[in-house]
Amino acid sequence: MRRGLLGWVGLLLLGAGLLAFYLWPRPKPAVQAEPPPAAHQASPRILFAERTVPVPDDNPQTPAKVELGRRLFYDPRLSKDGQVACASCHKPEFAFSDGGKPVSAGIFGRKGSRNAPSLTNVGFRRHLFWEGRSPRLELQAVGPLTAHDEMGMEPEELAQRLGAIPEYARAFQEVFGDAPTLKTVTYAIAAFERTLLSYNSPFDRYQAGDDKAMSQAALRGLELFFSEKGDCFHCHVGPDFTDDEPRNTALYTVYKDIGLARATGKDEDVGKFKTPTLRNVALTAPYMHDGSIKTLRDVVQHYNQGGQPNLNADALIRPLGLTDAEVDDLVAFLQSLTDQSFTSNPALLPPR
């Protein structure tokens, strides 16, 4: 009898032990970190797939429409005082930015408040304007055409002025089957802007197999760019080196221009501006949304130092600890993104 009782006690203790074994919280096995994407590994070779510029269904590209858009892009008669064209602030020699100017001058010499961004590969951008408030080129073009400080045209005035010019009247009939309107003007300009494509920089030639296309300093800069130390690749990603997302880059502690918050009204969006493309960036000085940083080296130093104290600063902003030589190498890499054939392409220059 006693032996049987001890047996039951033993079984109960064994069961309790097994139950405790299975229910007791155990440490989770360590998760092995996945290898970084190929583009972020140490190898400087980055393979970007060929891309086709997205074209909206309601504005198909045609050679005649692109040519009409090119003529409009360079024509100052699209502005109220007849002095300001799209190209006045987006000059081809500066990769279609307003090279050298922190902010551009519009009609009657009125100054804007933001730096004119480069239009390099602008057809791929998902968000336009510095705060990204426009989703497509056709809508974006309405902004400068009608803005008080830029071209200052009323839609009816623009249509009447262009309709009174015989060559434009004929061209709009040929392309759109109608007289000029604000809509068709922006559609033609957008069609031309989708042809502003740049893929022939030393960086591109190096990617294609020309081992001598980039300097040794630029190659070291490329390694840094895609390293956690340089930490540029999280925001400047992809073929155009931009994630198209608004970010606060800790440029200021207090922002005079509140950026994305101007469109959303949200405190957390104060100081957020869209990540710009880095293609042809060496041609587009000065830098940042207000053109407040004069040189590429100063831009790199801004990020190297971790920016200004700011509650909305992007989580990626931190002191990088780059040496002066490493800053120079990063600048050399950024300069290797310059495509001289883009700025001299006759198809993109003013029509004769």
Side-chain angles (χ1 to χ4, degrees):
M1 182 69 180
R2 185 180 180 185
R3 184 177 298 173
L5 180 62
L6 290 174
W8 280 107
V9 171
L11 287 174
L12 288 173
L13 290 173
L14 177 61
L18 290 173
L19 186 63
F21 176 81
Y22 285 109
L23 295 181
W24 193 264
R26 279 167 282 176
K28 296 180 180 178
V31 178
Q32 185 174 2
E34 295 182 0
H40 299 163
Q41 292 177 345
S43 169
R45 300 287 184 177
I46 307 166
L47 298 177
F48 292 132
E50 290 187 11
R51 300 181 302 161
T52 300
V53 179
V55 176
D57 292 340
D58 65 347
N59 192 24
Q61 297 279 104
T62 68
K65 188 186 295 180
V66 170
E67 180 59 21
L68 174 59
R70 178 166 73 141
R71 289 165 59 188
L72 293 167
F73 186 86
Y74 287 100
D75 195 337
R77 290 177 290 183
L78 271 65
S79 63
K80 193 167 190 68
D81 67 356
Q83 300 298 313
V84 179
C86 303
S88 300
C89 308
H90 299 283
K91 303 179 178 71
E93 62 269 33
F94 299 116
F96 294 88
S97 72
D98 201 359
K101 297 179 181 176
V103 297
S104 298
I107 56 173
F108 307 115
R110 297 170 183 161
K111 290 288 184 67
S113 60
R114 294 179 176 176
N115 182 254
S118 166
L119 299 184
T120 301
N121 295 351
V122 71
F124 292 103
R125 303 284 69 79
R126 293 180 289 110
H127 309 291
L128 299 155
F129 292 119
W130 271 104
E131 70 273 73
R133 70 180 187 272
S134 178
R136 57 182 294 190
L137 287 170
E138 286 80 359
L139 294 176
Q140 185 278 332
V142 174
L145 281 168
T146 60
H148 174 77
D149 292 335
E150 298 186 52
M151 301 168 84
M153 290 293 279
E154 296 292 336
E156 297 79 11
E157 182 183 8
L158 177 65
Q160 290 174 4
R161 184 181 295 185
L162 294 180
I165 301 172
E167 54 266 35
Y168 274 134
R170 286 194 297 272
F172 274 89
Q173 281 291 339
E174 176 186 345
V175 173
F176 295 104
D178 206 345
T181 66
L182 175 63
K183 176 180 177 179
T184 52
V185 168
T186 61
Y187 274 44
I189 291 174
F192 169 65
E193 289 176 329
R194 291 192 173 93
T195 69
L196 302 179
L197 301 175
S198 172
Y199 289 110
N200 191 31
S201 66
F203 166 78
D204 295 302
R205 295 195 292 275
Y206 180 80
Q207 299 307 112
D210 181 356
D211 289 336
K212 297 181 179 178
M214 293 175 68
S215 68
Q216 290 302 307
L219 289 174
R220 291 193 299 271
L222 174 57
E223 295 276 2
L224 270 172
F225 188 94
F226 288 102
S227 72
E228 292 295 338
K229 183 175 185 180
D231 206 11
C232 308
F233 65 90
H234 286 111
C235 306
H236 294 285
V237 65
D240 291 324
F241 298 91
T242 173
D243 61 1
D244 265 342
E245 295 298 325
R247 297 176 183 273
N248 184 312
T249 57
L251 184 61
Y252 301 113
T253 300
V254 177
Y255 279 81
K256 181 179 178 182
D257 183 341
I258 60 176
L260 179 60
R262 197 166 74 174
T264 67
K266 297 180 179 178
D267 290 342
E268 60 265 33
D269 290 334
V270 170
K272 289 184 178 179
F273 297 90
K274 200 167 72 73
T275 305
T277 178
L278 295 183
R279 284 194 171 271
N280 296 301
V281 68
L283 302 177
T284 65
Y287 302 101
M288 316 308 272
H289 69 279
D290 56 358
S292 58
I293 299 184
K294 292 183 179 179
T295 69
L296 269 180
R297 199 176 198 288
D298 288 343
V299 174
V300 176
Q301 282 290 24
H302 164 73
Y303 292 112
N304 190 30
Q305 293 164 1
Q308 302 298 318
N310 185 334
L311 291 176
N312 286 345
D314 194 279
L316 293 168
I317 302 294
R318 58 181 170 79
L320 300 175
L322 301 175
T323 65
D324 285 347
E326 288 172 329
V327 170
D328 290 339
D329 289 341
L330 269 177
V331 172
F333 169 64
L334 295 173
Q335 290 170 333
S336 79
L337 301 177
T338 302
D339 177 2
Q340 298 293 351
S341 66
F342 174 60
T343 59
S344 60
N345 183 351
L348 308 181
L349 298 179
R352 296 182 176 177

